[in-house]
Amino acid sequence: MLVSALYNIVDQVFIGWSIGALGNAATNVAFPLTTICIAIALMFGIGGASAFNLTMGEGDAKRAAFYVGNAISMLVICGVVLCIVAHLFLTPMLRFFGSTQDILGYARTYTAITAFGFPFLILATGGGHLIRADGSPRFTMTCNLVGAIINLILDPIFIFGFHWGMAGAALATIIGQIVSAALAVRYLMHYKTVAITRQHLHPRKDCVCRIAALGAAQSFNQIAMTVVQIALNKSLTHYGAMSIYGEEIPLACAGIITKVNQIFFSVIIGLSQSVQPIASFNYGAQQYARVRKVYHLAIRCGFVISITSFVVFQLFPRQITSLFGSGDALYFEFAISYFRVFFFCTFLNCLQPIFSTFFTAIGQPVKGLFLSMTRQILFLLPLILILPLFFGIDGILYSGPIADGVAAVVSVFMIRQEMQHMRQLELHASF
């Protein structure tokens, strides 16, 4: 997940130094389409992996193979459909995502090319979860790492060597995604624990529904991020125009900082996803002590990562922003405020994704779905819309820590109830 986040970071750095704030703002406007790709990949990737591991834990390998095959098919189908839709409605979508007239040209150039990579991005990301469920997490990392390295090498060549600008950054991105997807397909054709044949690839309603239900929590978390990102972009431009910063500075800064935060959040998501196969298999096998053990380990690791990120965001906001190009005093002033205020409760942000994935892993997708919606949809989105009415653009900054804090409280309350229930199941199983 960390390597996947580097795709966007690398583009952001080179675009910032070659084109400037307008280029950074353009990638921010295009970013919702990337999160939609990830949402699809998580729904059928994690959903398929969870269904596969739960079924294998129950001892039904024959049915488990259909979950993997159906997940692969849905990843490919949805990727192609999204690519077509993106090209058909490119300009209105970018305007809806918050693009201003000055940014639109850069955003169109970048997105028109990266859209061709959507099927490969979805297949590589979702296929990685299926590979991990087969007991090969290192190969999943290899797929993503190879693609990221290719992107890192090609970005400066295309942008500075060939002077292709936004188009060069986009081409470097999709080439890396194609290679990652090719590696994933090669593995999936030779799955280790079960044999995947053509009959397993034919979509079955019962399998697809089960996969979608188990992957809904993680998918809706990404969709929620997309909705919030769009609302945030529109609010930043609207209230930015009323402030000393103008329209472009808040949009560009938020784009950079969101990508930086995605590095932290991707590590947390990766950590939560690593819990899934262990928790799913052992829950299916009624080994509840092992399920609790992996849960506690994930929480301890998550807090270490979250607290480290909080310290970095509070102490080095200007240095981080400087990595993505130069700017005037107002540019850095807003970036520093955004880092320190909006992400003030970063140290709590490990709880909600770990808990929502955990509920999905043990076969409770409704609870996982609800938790995935708490921070983004139930709390952050209303705050982004309401607080600026009273505090202007500062209200957008205050919405972040308030939403993070309330979501953490709700998450802790729900997981404590589940741990008590699991202890009761363990006592019942012992008799």
Side-chain angles (χ1 to χ4, degrees):
M1 289 301 295
L2 175 61
V3 172
S4 298
L6 291 177
Y7 273 109
N8 296 304
I9 288 291
V10 169
D11 281 351
Q12 200 84 53
V13 170
F14 288 115
I15 288 172
W17 284 106
S18 62
I19 297 172
L22 290 179
N24 280 329
T27 59
N28 185 28
V29 167
F31 192 59
L33 284 170
T34 300
T35 57
I36 292 173
C37 288
I38 301 300
I40 295 171
L42 293 180
M43 173 171 285
F44 296 108
I46 289 185
S50 297
F52 171 76
N53 289 130
L54 282 166
T55 309
M56 290 292 286
E58 295 167 356
D60 191 354
K62 183 178 179 180
R63 182 170 178 79
F66 281 97
Y67 287 123
V68 175
N70 276 229
I72 295 171
S73 297
M74 294 309 299
L75 290 169
V76 174
I77 293 170
C78 291
V80 173
V81 170
L82 182 61
C83 174
I84 294 172
V85 170
H87 281 103
L88 289 176
F89 304 101
L90 183 60
T91 299
M93 274 199 303
L94 292 175
R95 290 190 183 277
F96 178 72
F97 293 160
S99 177
T100 64
Q101 189 60 40
D102 292 337
I103 296 169
L104 184 60
Y106 295 109
R108 278 181 54 86
T109 300
Y110 185 80
T111 310
I113 296 173
T114 54
F116 286 110
F118 289 168
F120 303 101
L121 172 60
I122 291 171
L123 183 58
T125 305
H129 298 297
L130 300 175
I131 293 170
R132 177 171 47 77
D134 194 42
S136 300
R138 291 184 180 180
F139 193 85
T140 298
M141 184 175 66
T142 299
C143 292
N144 289 325
L145 186 59
V146 169
I149 292 174
I150 290 173
N151 185 37
L152 178 62
I153 294 172
L154 294 181
D155 255 332
I157 295 175
F158 289 171
I159 294 174
F160 298 110
F162 295 161
H163 304 288
W164 289 347
M166 298 292 290
L171 283 170
T173 297
I174 66 170
I175 291 173
Q177 291 167 352
I178 290 170
V179 174
S180 293
L183 291 173
V185 169
R186 182 176 178 273
Y187 182 98
L188 293 170
M189 291 174 62
H190 303 89
Y191 218 61
K192 293 190 304 182
T193 49
V194 294
I196 307 300
T197 63
R198 184 174 297 180
Q199 66 171 331
H200 298 125
L201 297 174
H202 183 72
R204 293 172 41 171
K205 183 179 179 181
D206 59 330
C207 290
V208 172
C209 290
R210 176 65 170 163
I211 291 168
L214 289 173
Q218 288 71 32
S219 178
F220 271 77
N221 192 44
Q222 288 292 320
I223 293 173
M225 290 173 62
T226 304
V227 173
V228 170
Q229 184 70 39
I230 295 169
L232 185 62
N233 288 347
K234 290 180 174 293
S235 295
L236 287 169
T237 54
H238 177 75
Y239 291 101
M242 301 178 183
S243 70
I244 59 175
Y245 303 111
E247 289 183 322
E248 276 74 30
I249 285 179
L251 196 60
C253 290
I256 292 171
I257 296 167
T258 298
K259 303 290 177 60
V260 172
N261 182 62
Q262 191 191 17
I263 292 182
F264 148 70
F265 205 69
S266 293
V267 178
I268 294 296
I269 293 295
L271 176 66
S272 66
Q273 290 168 0
S274 69
V275 172
Q276 176 268 312
I278 304 171
S280 293
F281 187 92
N282 284 287
Y283 196 87
Q286 297 185 348
Q287 296 291 333
Y288 301 116
R290 293 179 181 178
V291 176
R292 291 200 308 273
K293 183 177 180 180
V294 72
Y295 155 76
H296 288 298
L297 179 61
I299 291 300
R300 289 196 296 270
C301 294
F303 268 120
V304 171
I305 297 166
S306 298
I307 292 171
T308 301
S309 300
F310 169 77
V311 172
V312 172
F313 289 174
Q314 294 298 312
L315 296 182
F316 308 108
R318 184 182 180 92
Q319 291 85 341
I320 296 173
T321 307
S322 299
L323 296 174
F324 298 88
S326 59
D328 58 21
L330 287 175
Y331 176 83
F332 284 106
E333 178 185 318
F334 185 82
I336 292 170
S337 296
Y338 198 95
F339 256 124
R340 288 179 172 166
V341 178
F342 194 82
F343 293 114
F344 184 77
C345 285
T346 298
F347 60 92
L348 296 174
N349 281 355
C350 64
L351 299 178
Q352 182 253 358
I354 291 177
F355 292 168
S356 63
T357 303
F358 181 79
F359 277 118
T360 298
I362 62 175
Q364 299 187 36
V366 175
K367 291 182 179 179
L369 178 60
F370 172 77
L371 273 185
S372 70
M373 295 176 63
T374 51
R375 178 186 182 271
Q376 302 287 344
I377 298 298
L378 298 183
F379 304 136
L380 184 57
L381 183 59
L383 290 170
I384 287 176
L385 299 177
I386 296 171
L387 291 185
L389 297 175
F390 303 96
F391 304 105
I393 198 167
D394 289 338
I396 299 175
L397 306 186
Y398 302 148
S399 63
I402 296 173
D404 292 339
V406 177
V409 172
V410 173
S411 299
V412 170
F413 175 77
M414 289 184 64
I415 202 68
R416 288 186 65 182
Q417 287 187 320
E418 183 57 36
M419 288 297 108
Q420 293 173 359
H421 175 66
M422 197 177 299
R423 289 187 180 92
Q424 293 175 356
L425 290 176
E426 187 174 16
L427 290 173
H428 180 75
S430 65
F431 291 107

